[in-house]
Amino acid sequence: MKFVGIFIILILVFSCSSEENSLEQYANHPVKFAKQKIDNPDNDFSIFIPKNWEWKAPYKENGNDILGLFANSKSNKNGFKSIILVKKYKSSQNSKDLKSEFEYLSKQIRNHSQIEEIVDFGSTDIFNQESYFFHTKSKSDTNGDSEILNFLINGNIEGIYYNLTLSTPQTTDFNTDMAVLVQSLKTFEILK
């Protein structure tokens, strides 16, 4: 009987440890790392990113982008980098509220060619305000097998939103790397 109890405990431990971590686990994982504060040149927002990362601001990818920040780690042994991207943008669908913008982006993500799996999505309160997230897995030639967390937050003007994205390659330190990135994004603060 004692053997059966130990066997059941081992099964529970191994089945729980093999599960993927959730956004909540990354957000609450105690991890310490050296940080540097970045204030967007327009004083629109600030964020703490890992120290010694390269960053570029302003950063724009398309015509709907108002401003942004692109930050990345040094390359790992396979040449892949972790990334933090902050974009303030105007909705291309003229969405008037955060939920409708989230629903539009959800359709875009589901149809993206490099997304292999949607791990989780929905609302979150890690920014202490209404926000939504997508947790996906992707495969690309430029960053290998990666996991991506996208967050959508209201800007202070109707139809203007912030998209905060982090991505890190799947390595042996993946869970710690992801926790560092989520902890960095939690420092995001809108200044205007």
Side-chain angles (χ1 to χ4, degrees), residues 150-167:
N150 278 12
F151 297 91
L152 187 62
I153 301 172
N154 266 322
N156 292 330
I157 301 169
E158 183 178 288
I160 304 295
Y161 305 98
Y162 281 93
N163 183 339
L164 293 86
T165 304
L166 59 84
S167 173

Side-chain angles (χ1 to χ4, degrees), residues 11 25 46 78 82 95-96:
I11 289 174
Q25 288 169 315
S46 69
N78 296 321
S82 293
S95 299
K96 305 265 186 229

